[in-house]
Amino acid sequence: MHPTILKIGSFQIHSYGLLLAVAFLVSIQFFVSRGRRRGMTEESLHSVALVLLILAIVGGRGLFVLTHWAEYARDPLAILRLWEGGLMLYGGYVLAIAGGILYVRRAGLPLWRVADAAAPAMALGIGIGRIGCFLNGCCFGLPTHAGWGI
């Protein structure tokens, strides 16, 4: 595993954080590209993407904090220290989808065309993010002796 990709003095680039940022950037570009082909404006697509990004981070952090509440009860301000790690995919996914649907409806955008543009972009982002998880040394699954396993 390679949790730290680059370290110069006290400056570090962590594999998970880097790949999470890459995942968001690549998926947003893919989403906007697919959305434009479906007749939506780039401005409206970027607005949706920003809302989804914020909701994914808040939801991911929220579920992590709920499932690790004993650690945060002693120091509630630690909830805000995202750079120390602690996001859960499912929390981010659930809040981004639910909140994204509400936002898209309130913005008067075509829900199913937005969803059609977003679904493969979200899957791509999860795939890239999971590579970051693997490099970080978490979420690797069960031990195996299969030739294709790790």
Side-chain angles (χ1 to χ4, degrees):
M1 303 304 143
H2 302 284
T4 303
I5 291 179
L6 176 69
K7 183 175 182 178
I8 301 172
S10 63
F11 175 76
Q12 295 181 16
I13 297 178
H14 299 281
S15 55
Y16 179 72
L18 176 65
L19 280 157
L20 192 60
V22 169
F24 279 122
L25 292 172
V26 168
S27 348
I28 288 169
Q29 282 306 114
F30 190 46
F31 167 66
V32 170
S33 172
R34 288 178 55 84
R36 277 196 320 250
R37 287 193 304 253
R38 284 155 180 76
M40 292 172 277
T41 67
E42 195 167 322
E43 181 181 342
S44 65
L45 293 163
H46 279 292
S47 295
V48 171
L50 179 61
V51 168
L52 294 176
L53 171 67
I54 292 168
L55 291 172
I57 293 170
V58 170
R61 184 59 167 188
L63 186 57
F64 185 85
V65 169
L66 284 175
T67 58
H68 294 82
W69 180 246
E71 299 167 31
Y72 291 98
R74 293 184 304 266
D75 182 15
L77 286 177
I79 294 169
L80 302 175
R81 294 194 291 264
L82 287 173
W83 59 90
E84 293 178 356
L87 296 171
M88 290 184 82
L89 172 70
Y90 305 114
Y93 226 5
V94 168
L95 190 60
I97 290 171
I101 289 170
L102 291 174
Y103 176 80
V104 166
R105 285 188 173 162
R106 286 198 175 180
L109 297 169
L111 177 62
W112 292 112
R113 279 195 280 158
V114 172
D116 187 48
M122 291 174 82
L124 176 63
I126 289 171
I128 295 169
R130 286 300 178 191
I131 295 169
C133 284
F134 180 75
L135 290 172
N136 193 45
C138 62
C139 310
F140 47 81
L142 299 173
T144 182
H145 295 292
W148 58 84
I150 297 172

